[in-house]
Amino acid sequence: MCAFTCTSRSITFKALKTTYEWSYDPGRCTFCGRCVDVCKSHAIAQQAKRPPLYSDPAALKLFYTLPRKPPPGAAPKPGNGGTP
Ligand code: SF4
């Protein structure tokens, strides 16, 4: 929801085959707070302090890659020792 709500495209989210990729670019952020408002799990928060000074607009961009877990009850794949 945060990436969908962010009109400046500061937050991006991709659901790939085996991972989720999430990024945040403060250089594009307008600090409107909509991403915080829509986050029902409170995973995002805003702080009053300013980010450090930077000259490269992408210098502060953050990337997170999380493994995608198989859905509950997924059938194990043959030949991998029963791991789904
Ligand atoms: S605070 Fe920044 S990241 Fe969040 S919705 Fe607004 S522009 Fe996007």
Side-chain angles (χ1 to χ4, degrees):
M1 284 307 296
C2 57
F4 179 75
T5 304
C6 182
T7 55
S8 70
R9 300 184 68 187
S10 178
I11 295 177
T12 63
F13 177 81
K14 291 179 191 171
L16 303 175
K17 188 171 183 178
T18 58
T19 59
Y20 295 111
E21 292 182 2
W22 188 90
S23 70
Y24 168 63
D25 185 354
R28 300 180 71 124
C29 183
T30 61
F31 306 101
C32 66
R34 284 187 294 225
C35 56
V36 176
D37 292 343
V38 299
C39 185
K40 292 181 180 176
S41 60
H42 306 289
I44 300 176
Q46 280 187 309
Q47 298 176 341
K49 68 179 185 180
R50 297 182 184 133
L53 294 175
Y54 58 95
S55 57
D56 177 5
L60 301 178
K61 190 167 182 175
L62 302 171
F63 295 93
Y64 298 94
T65 301
L66 302 169
R68 216 175 155 156
K69 295 179 184 171
K77 294 179 182 173
N80 66 354
T83 304

